[in-house]
Amino acid sequence: MEFRAFLLKYAEIGIKGRNRYLFEDALVEQIKYALKRCEGEFAVRKEQGRIYADVVSAYYDYDEVVENLKRVFGLSHICPMIQLEDEGFEKLGEEIVKYMDEAYEDKGLTFKVNARRARKNYPKSSMEINCDLGEILLEAFPEMQVDVHKPDVMLNVEIREHIYVYSIVIPGPGGMPVGTAGKAMLLLSGGIDSPVAGYMIAKRGVQIEAVYFHAPPYTSERAKQKVVDLAKAVSKYAGEIRLHIINFTDIQMYIYDKCPHDELTIIMRRYMMRIAEHLAKEGGCTGLITGESIGQVASQTMKSLLVTNEVCTLPVYRPLIAFDKLDIVDIAEKIDTYETSVLPYEDCCTIFVAKHPVTKPNLQIIKKHETHLDEKIDELLQKAYETQEIVTVSAV
Ligand code: ATP
Ligand code: MG
């Protein structure tokens, strides 16, 4: 059977009161963005609190469309459907029999007809449509049975300007449409955690901008490309991502020269946060996102997080803070970032890392040691901003 349209249902945005249309419009945009990646041509329309995507071209790939729609945050259900013209009830009965015949090879199933009549001038009530279509189906397929409580197949028939029939309901990802909750700056490394963190915050409707710190020649072009690839993978869900690539080498070397080596990581992380916040404010972001998780490494003990956080004035969103690594890996696999994340390229954090980094840094001492950087750090930060490379990454 060929489905020529999809009914796209949303859940949470339904409760947004007067701003509801903003959410719907953002969702329509994201659906269009997802369908742009698919072969074929589609028209997305909003109609009476419903969103439909019609297939316009002769050819399209059903699996590809479903796969891409499953990445659109804000969608609760994806329902492939057939669209009929109103040519009388007898004809509708015939079409319904044909639909069930083609959609379900095994007829040993229970079903329920669920008619909705948005067009009140239709000659039968919803109740009558349910009963009459049920009867027609039972006659055509004696193996089938009606079960009004827990049917295997809920056959939805919506009488609107056209008549829509659907029974296949594919779960969507949930969440909120990207672009409805402002923008945040993701600190994106080449690891497993930060792409997952970006995905999770994007799922709440937040547009993502990203920053990656690299340290050439200690980190390679391949390591940078890996981060670009990860941003691309996240953009399949989050839409276009502006990725700032910051050359961190001089700053890192300077800290290495001037500060105790066991404090290198923590001081470096404070500078990463400072730079990320500077870029965030410049780009209109109202928060930062990291992939940190309590206790995962020395720089993520509660004390270390306290010291890192101290340089930030924007809220720092850490969606993985209480996640175990294995749970993070599960999500990374599900969203298709894992394979890229585990490619074995060097990371700027690991290059100068001390054998025994502090796990309980003292804020006052760290601040005192940072004064050793006073002479040149502003100049180096300025240079890092000026030499940044910006790549706009999109999945299309
Ligand atoms: P991930 O698995 O995401 O790489 P990690 O295990 O490397 O994290 P850390 O090095 O402690 O952990 O980094 C914690 C967080 O700091 C990361 O999740 C990321 O948000 C940010 N971060 C670390 N290194 C970089 C980098 N080179 N560029 C941008 N952000 C970074
Ligand atoms: Mg990590």
Side-chain angles (χ1 to χ4, degrees):
M1 172 166 10
E2 206 197 6
F3 296 102
R4 299 288 301 170
F6 294 84
L7 166 62
L8 303 171
K9 294 189 181 175
Y10 48 82
E12 204 171 333
I13 69 173
I15 59 171
K16 291 291 164 189
R18 270 192 306 166
N19 286 339
R20 180 176 166 147
Y21 76 97
L22 291 175
F23 286 78
E24 289 173 343
D25 290 351
L27 184 55
V28 166
E29 281 315 302
Q30 293 303 319
I31 292 167
K32 285 181 180 167
Y33 177 78
L35 291 174
K36 249 202 270 174
R37 290 197 291 276
C38 304
E39 209 180 329
E41 217 182 299
F42 308 88
V44 183
R45 68 198 153 90
K46 215 168 90 169
E47 208 178 277
Q48 296 170 335
R50 289 289 176 90
I51 297 173
Y52 299 92
D54 298 308
V55 182
V56 177
S57 51
Y59 175 79
Y60 83 104
D61 181 338
Y62 173 84
D63 291 332
E64 184 187 38
V65 165
V66 170
E67 192 192 313
N68 278 284
L69 288 173
K70 276 164 95 173
R71 298 202 190 100
V72 177
F73 295 139
L75 288 182
S76 66
H77 298 99
I78 299 155
C79 313
M81 58 177 201
I82 58 167
Q83 180 180 319
L84 306 170
E85 300 314 317
D86 183 5
E87 295 172 300
F89 192 76
E90 199 178 321
K91 181 79 173 143
L92 177 61
E94 284 168 23
E95 292 288 348
I96 294 287
V97 167
K98 196 166 131 217
Y99 173 87
M100 289 298 276
D101 195 23
E102 287 179 18
Y104 300 97
E105 209 171 300
D106 180 4
K107 304 292 187 291
L109 52 79
T110 60
F111 73 94
K112 174 184 175 180
V113 180
N114 179 34
R116 280 186 28 166
R117 209 176 46 136
R119 177 156 63 77
K120 297 297 175 200
N121 65 359
Y122 195 77
K124 283 179 192 280
S125 71
S126 302
M127 221 31 196
E128 286 169 335
I129 302 171
N130 289 344
C131 293
D132 295 353
L133 287 179
E135 229 166 79
I136 292 171
L137 284 173
L138 289 173
E139 213 166 283
F141 307 110
E143 316 90 294
M144 286 189 192
Q145 282 183 338
V146 172
D147 181 344
V148 291
H149 301 293
K150 271 196 168 170
D152 300 326
V153 174
M154 177 73 89
L155 180 65
N156 296 282
V157 179
E158 295 201 359
I159 315 269
R160 291 171 184 261
E161 192 187 333
H162 307 283
I163 298 175
Y164 299 110
V165 178
Y166 66 92
S167 61
I168 299 169
V169 179
I170 302 161
M176 309 278 250
V178 169
T180 55
K183 194 159 58 155
M185 179 68 70
L186 168 67
L187 284 87
L188 181 62
S189 69
I192 296 167
D193 307 325
S194 44
V196 172
Y199 161 87
M200 287 175 73
I201 296 297
K203 189 171 174 187
R204 294 311 301 163
V206 177
Q207 192 189 338
I208 303 292
E209 197 159 324
V211 54
Y212 165 58
F213 298 92
H214 75 148
Y218 304 101
T219 62
S220 64
E221 273 301 302
R222 285 189 314 178
K224 182 169 111 181
Q225 185 57 42
K226 172 179 164 181
V227 174
V228 172
D229 291 343
L230 285 172
K232 256 187 205 161
V234 175
S235 80
K236 283 189 181 175
Y237 300 88
E240 215 169 74
I241 295 177
R242 231 164 98 87
L243 171 65
H244 303 254
I245 300 168
I246 294 281
N247 186 330
F248 203 48
T249 313
D250 290 349
I251 295 173
Q252 232 173 342
M253 298 291 271
Y254 190 49
I255 302 171
Y256 191 74
D257 267 359
K258 302 282 183 189
C259 301
H261 289 181
D262 62 345
E263 290 170 6
L264 175 68
T265 305
I266 199 83
I267 293 177
M268 221 173 66
R269 293 202 51 71
R270 281 164 59 90
Y271 276 97
M272 281 188 183
M273 297 306 262
R274 286 182 175 111
I275 294 171
E277 180 162 299
H278 172 90
L279 298 173
K281 286 180 173 167
E282 232 177 34
C285 299
T286 51
L288 304 176
I289 308 165
T290 74
E292 289 161 312
S293 158
I294 294 174
Q296 197 187 70
V297 285
S299 59
Q300 296 175 32
T301 62
M302 295 258 283
K303 279 241 165 81
S304 297
L305 287 165
L306 175 91
V307 172
T308 310
N309 201 69
E310 194 263 344
V311 298
C312 303
T313 60
L314 289 178
V316 182
Y317 298 109
R318 300 180 172 92
L320 303 176
I321 199 69
F323 277 50
D324 291 352
K325 194 75 185 187
L326 287 178
D327 298 332
I328 301 171
V329 166
D330 278 349
I331 303 177
E333 282 176 336
K334 194 185 83 184
I335 67 171
D336 240 3
T337 53
Y338 183 75
E339 295 275 305
T340 308
S341 288
V342 294
L343 293 173
Y345 307 140
E346 61 296 320
D347 176 66
C348 74
C349 299
T350 51
I351 289 177
F352 304 94
V353 138
K355 274 219 180 70
H356 300 290
V358 284
T359 54
K360 291 182 187 155
N362 176 304
L363 182 58
Q364 297 319 318
I365 295 174
I366 297 284
K367 278 178 144 175
K368 192 171 128 226
H369 289 155
E370 274 182 2
T371 60
H372 300 174
L373 305 170
D374 282 352
E375 193 187 330
K376 252 178 45 181
I377 194 72
D378 285 344
E379 185 191 318
L380 292 178
L381 286 171
Q382 200 50 41
K383 190 168 152 217
Y385 298 135
E386 280 165 13
T387 57
Q388 68 170 304
E389 188 188 336
I390 300 179
V391 187
T392 300
V393 173
S394 93
V396 178

